[in-house]
Amino acid sequence: MDKIINKLLVFLLLMAVATPIFSQDSRSYVKQCIKQHGQCKAVAITQNFGDVVLYGKNGWACKNCPVELRDALKQLSERGSTINDVQLTEKGHWLVIFDGNGYKHSAGLPTAFISKLREFNLNHETIISAPFNDEGEWAAITQQHLSASSPNLLSWLQDGISSYGRIISATIVDNAVVAVYSGGFKFLGSVPQTLKNALKQSGMSVVNVRISGEHWFFVSKDGKFQYFM
């Protein structure tokens, strides 16, 4: 019994050490790809399930991400689709928005979320943002409509419209929400102060923000970007 316990302790120790190394490896790869291509449209960053970068019409790169996500990105790129956005959570759930309102996703996403995306797709509405987390919280945003997983989240997002104008995108992780509007930002939960400061000082017309722990990334509508990761 003691031997089994000792082996378990060693395994847990190795996992604790391996997770940061795993994250650093994929993060370094993504940053290298950004520098290599000189452009970046969006990223998905996690501590446990790799990182993804999108560039150009359908260029992409990822490392340590779920195989199904990598295969979906490859298929979309090979058939000439425009890859608009990618979401990836700390438990490996993912979503890809393509050709304006098409979508591919992993198993385990909230049924109401997928139903709303299907509704937007059938109505030919462009999905401009569709963030979600592992706690079942989500938002779905088009030029015409804004939906969310709860009345409280929906009200919080809508309140920003009167103060900051049209909502452009949102980011939802397990402990934080960032909403991007045409004239400012709203923050909820544990949003890194370094991100808040950088957004305030950048002077960019930001359209997309991502968070993973203390790491972050944002990009402007003209392709300029800034990150701490």
Side-chain angles (χ1 to χ4, degrees):
M1 178 64 70
D2 288 342
K3 289 183 178 180
I4 294 175
I5 293 175
N6 287 336
K7 287 181 179 179
L8 179 59
L9 289 173
V10 169
F11 173 77
L12 293 174
L13 178 61
L14 288 173
M15 287 300 294
V17 173
T19 298
I21 295 174
F22 179 89
S23 178
Q24 291 170 11
D25 178 49
S26 59
R27 199 66 45 78
S28 296
Y29 176 75
V30 163
K31 288 192 289 187
Q32 179 184 346
C33 290
I34 292 174
K35 291 178 181 178
Q36 178 183 346
H37 293 283
Q39 59 173 301
C40 183
K41 181 164 62 177
V43 303
I45 54 176
T46 73
Q47 300 179 64
N48 303 306
F49 275 90
D51 303 285
V52 187
V53 59
L54 303 180
Y55 53 89
K57 177 185 177 182
N58 53 21
W60 63 277
C62 70
K63 190 162 188 179
N64 299 329
C65 64
V67 174
E68 294 83 0
L69 171 57
R70 185 194 63 198
D71 290 344
L73 291 168
K74 182 179 179 182
Q75 291 168 4
L76 290 170
S77 182
E78 288 178 345
R79 76 186 195 193
S81 294
T82 297
I83 304 175
N84 302 107
D85 198 13
V86 58
Q87 302 280 339
L88 178 60
T89 74
E90 296 295 348
K91 290 186 178 180
H93 297 120
W94 56 268
L95 168 73
V96 180
I97 301 296
F98 63 94
D99 292 340
N101 58 19
Y103 57 91
K104 287 180 175 288
H105 61 88
S106 65
L109 273 61
T111 302
F113 181 40
I114 299 305
S115 295
K116 184 56 63 173
L117 296 181
R118 184 179 301 114
E119 175 186 325
F120 291 156
N121 176 272
L122 293 173
N123 291 335
H124 305 288
E125 294 188 44
T126 298
I127 301 167
I128 59 176
S129 187
F132 65 98
N133 64 15
D134 290 316
E135 302 298 322
E137 297 170 311
W138 56 266
I141 305 168
T142 71
Q143 296 285 0
Q144 297 83 20
H145 296 98
L146 169 61
S147 300
S149 51
S150 70
N152 286 340
L153 178 57
L154 180 60
S155 177
W156 185 86
L157 292 169
Q158 289 175 329
D159 285 346
I161 297 175
S162 59
S163 299
Y164 303 110
R166 178 174 56 88
I167 187 168
I168 295 174
S169 69
T171 294
I172 301 175
V173 294
D174 290 349
N175 62 350
V177 182
V178 178
V180 180
Y181 300 86
S182 57
F185 309 92
K186 282 193 73 175
F187 307 103
L188 181 66
S190 301
V191 179
Q193 187 62 46
T194 53
L195 170 60
K196 294 179 181 179
N197 294 341
L199 287 169
K200 182 178 180 180
Q201 297 166 7
S202 72
M204 296 181 188
S205 298
V206 175
V207 296
N208 204 324
V209 176
R210 290 289 189 271
I211 309 173
S212 177
E214 289 300 312
H215 293 173
W216 48 263
F217 167 95
F218 60 82
V219 63
S220 70
K221 63 182 180 181
D222 57 359
K224 295 179 181 178
F225 54 86
Q226 191 171 331
Y227 58 75
F228 173 71
M229 58 184 189

